[in-house]
Amino acid sequence: MALIVKTEDEYEDLLGQWSDLESGLAMVLTHPDSVQEFSQRIHQYDRWLQDLLRQDTDVSLYLLFQLATKSPVGYSASHALVCAVLCDLIATDFALPRSQRDSLVRAALTMNVAMTVLQDEMASQRSRPTREQQAAINEHPIKGAEMLAGKGITDALWLDVVRLHHVEDRSPVALIMLPAPRRLAHILLVVDRYAAMISPRESREGQSAADSARHLIQGHTEHGGAIGQALVRRVGFCPPGTFVQLEDGRVAIVTRRTQQINQPDVVVVMDAQAKLIRPPLLHATSGAGAGIASALLASAVRERVNHHLILQIGAASAVPA
């Protein structure tokens, strides 16, 4: 059942819940030594994430992709949250046992606990990492697993995935046949790359979600390609919350996934002359000549759009006639 955001207050409440989740996670990751019952807090955030996703996955993705492509301030927690949501969706695609899903998502939430402050600093840094920064980046998977164990995490698979999440597995063995720590760590590695590619830094713009997905599918390893394909199956080439240019030149924002991964429902927000359309128009991309010509970066759309109104219009496509 689709969640219809009927009023602006309801939209603000939902956005506020995701923002509160991100803020809470940021506090825990930034000050892990000050947090009592660290494991319980991460479990709580995981349950909160699942509750929000189950209300309406498309609306949640919309809000998250808007979050991921906005300001790099607070980048580390936003990145962890996006990765955790994508891992949750991929776990369903790969039919992972519940215990493995839990270890994977919690590893995604905490994988960068040893470099949270550094990651936030580097998101607003134009220069390449210094020698000291690069050393911290290289060390953070092992150090992070040690920190988590020190905070009372006893889930060995969770710790292994954090420890291995930067190790590229080039084994010829099929992904599903790999031992659980290596399989889940490789899923997290690919999701981590995808989320990093779509997120802007001071030193560069993010890539479009479509370009990022194609990069993964055409990657150097068979495993990466399989995980990239699973990502696309779950969120589409152009996920909810991302901008696209239609074949007739108009600009739209994706609101809902459909059975066809390259034909999502969209709401048109600008005409071919880049003028705002009021009110925005619901549009199906499945018709002849009505499809998506290309994905757009959020920075390409200078006009401010009313996301509450867009989600309200987009919800119409999810309601059975």
Side-chain angles (χ1 to χ4, degrees):
M1 181 69 179
L3 173 71
I4 302 176
V5 186
K6 293 180 180 176
T7 69
E8 193 151 4
D9 285 345
E10 288 175 351
Y11 167 76
E12 292 295 340
D13 178 64
L14 189 60
L15 181 61
Q17 289 186 60
W18 278 109
S19 297
D20 288 347
L21 174 54
E22 182 193 10
S23 298
L25 181 62
M27 191 277 293
V28 168
L29 296 178
T30 305
H31 306 288
D33 291 340
S34 305
V35 177
Q36 301 298 316
E37 300 183 325
F38 185 95
S39 177
Q40 290 89 325
R41 291 289 290 276
I42 298 301
H43 284 221
Q44 176 190 353
Y45 293 145
D46 182 14
R47 287 192 299 272
W48 192 357
L49 175 156
Q50 292 176 68
D51 288 344
L52 287 171
L53 272 180
R54 302 307 173 250
Q55 286 183 56
D56 191 313
T57 303
D58 287 295
V59 170
S60 294
L61 287 171
Y62 185 105
L63 295 173
L64 277 171
F65 275 92
Q66 284 292 312
L67 194 68
T69 54
K70 294 296 183 187
S71 166
V73 174
Y75 170 81
S76 192
S78 170
H79 177 77
L81 191 54
V82 170
C83 288
V85 166
L86 295 176
C87 282
D88 178 87
L89 296 175
I90 285 182
T92 301
D93 196 82
F94 282 131
L96 294 182
R98 179 70 195 192
S99 61
Q100 292 188 17
R101 176 263 168 219
D102 290 347
S103 298
L104 174 61
V105 171
R106 292 162 193 174
L109 289 170
T110 57
M111 62 183 165
N112 294 324
V113 66
M115 58 170 283
T116 299
V117 175
L118 173 60
Q119 195 173 29
D120 284 343
E121 289 173 355
M122 290 180 59
S124 56
Q125 177 177 310
R126 292 185 176 274
S127 58
R128 294 180 64 82
T130 65
R131 185 177 301 176
E132 292 77 14
Q133 287 174 331
Q134 190 59 56
I137 293 168
N138 295 342
E139 294 166 2
H140 87 272
I142 292 174
K143 187 177 177 184
E146 291 172 349
M147 287 175 64
L148 293 171
K151 293 300 295 181
I153 305 301
T154 57
D155 178 349
L157 185 53
W158 176 353
L159 297 175
D160 283 341
V161 174
V162 170
R163 188 180 298 110
L164 297 171
H165 80 274
H166 274 296
V167 178
E168 181 125 32
D169 199 305
R170 296 181 178 274
S171 166
V173 178
L175 182 70
I176 198 67
M177 300 302 293
L178 290 174
R182 287 167 56 192
R183 180 172 66 253
L184 300 189
H186 203 76
I187 290 173
L188 183 52
L189 168 73
V190 173
V191 167
D192 189 14
R193 285 179 179 169
Y194 173 82
M197 282 189 275
I198 65 172
S199 301
R201 315 279 200 289
E202 283 297 326
S203 58
R204 63 161 177 80
E205 285 193 299
Q207 291 185 28
S208 74
D211 287 344
S212 300
R214 290 189 185 96
H215 179 84
L216 296 179
I217 291 171
Q218 297 162 3
H220 301 299
T221 69
E222 185 176 334
H223 297 159
I227 297 162
Q229 289 169 358
L231 256 176
V232 170
R233 283 194 297 271
R234 298 307 297 176
V235 305
F237 274 110
C238 300
T242 62
F243 288 95
V244 294
Q245 186 154 40
L246 303 177
E247 291 172 347
D248 61 9
R250 294 183 298 169
V251 172
I253 188 165
V254 178
T255 54
R256 293 200 170 269
R257 301 161 296 165
T258 69
Q259 293 297 317
Q260 301 299 318
I261 58 174
N262 60 345
Q263 295 178 347
D265 290 328
V266 304
V267 169
V268 183
V269 294
M270 295 169 67
D271 63 22
Q273 287 72 47
K275 300 278 179 54
L276 280 178
I277 293 175
R278 291 190 174 92
L281 303 172
L282 183 64
H283 176 77
T285 58
S286 55
I292 293 171
S294 63
L296 292 176
L297 294 175
S299 58
V301 181
R302 301 292 184 185
E303 300 283 358
R304 187 173 180 274
V305 297
N306 184 333
H307 292 294
H308 154 246
L309 180 58
I310 289 166
L311 283 174
Q312 195 174 27
I313 295 169
S317 65
V319 180

